[in-house]
Amino acid sequence: AVSDDGRTFRSVATSTPNPAEGGKRGFARLPLTFAPATARYVRITAQNAGKVPAGLRNPGKPALLAIDELTID
């Protein structure tokens, strides 16, 4: 979401990935494409998968969410 004042944000893109698509380690790249927007503030909201899905390492345990790099062009 983007904002000019830091209070009122408007959504520019959303993604709902399938955690099982990331492979055994569950890593996934999520490139998002959207119409150009001008803003002073950017808000990224991310949510983990809840429980690790079957077929991945540690199934049924609480899933972690880590963001290594974020690029905004």
Side-chain angles (χ1 to χ4, degrees), residues 1 4 9 11-12 15 20 22-25 33 35 37 40 42 44 49-50 62-63:
D4 293 321
F9 286 83
S11 180
V12 293
S15 175
K24 285 287 185 189
R25 302 231 24 213
T33 303
R40 183 172 179 187
V42 176
I44 310 245

Side-chain angles (χ1 to χ4, degrees), residues 27-53:
F27 290 109
R29 290 181 184 261
L30 300 173
L32 297 175
T33 303
F34 50 91
T38 302
R40 183 172 179 187
Y41 302 93
V42 176
R43 176 182 289 165
I44 310 245
T45 304
Q47 198 170 19
N48 71 8
K51 300 266 183 200
V52 176

Side-chain angles (χ1 to χ4, degrees), residues 19-26 51-61:
E21 290 177 0
K24 285 287 185 189
R25 302 231 24 213
K51 300 266 183 200
V52 176
L56 297 180
R57 188 170 57 175
N58 300 319
K61 292 190 176 182

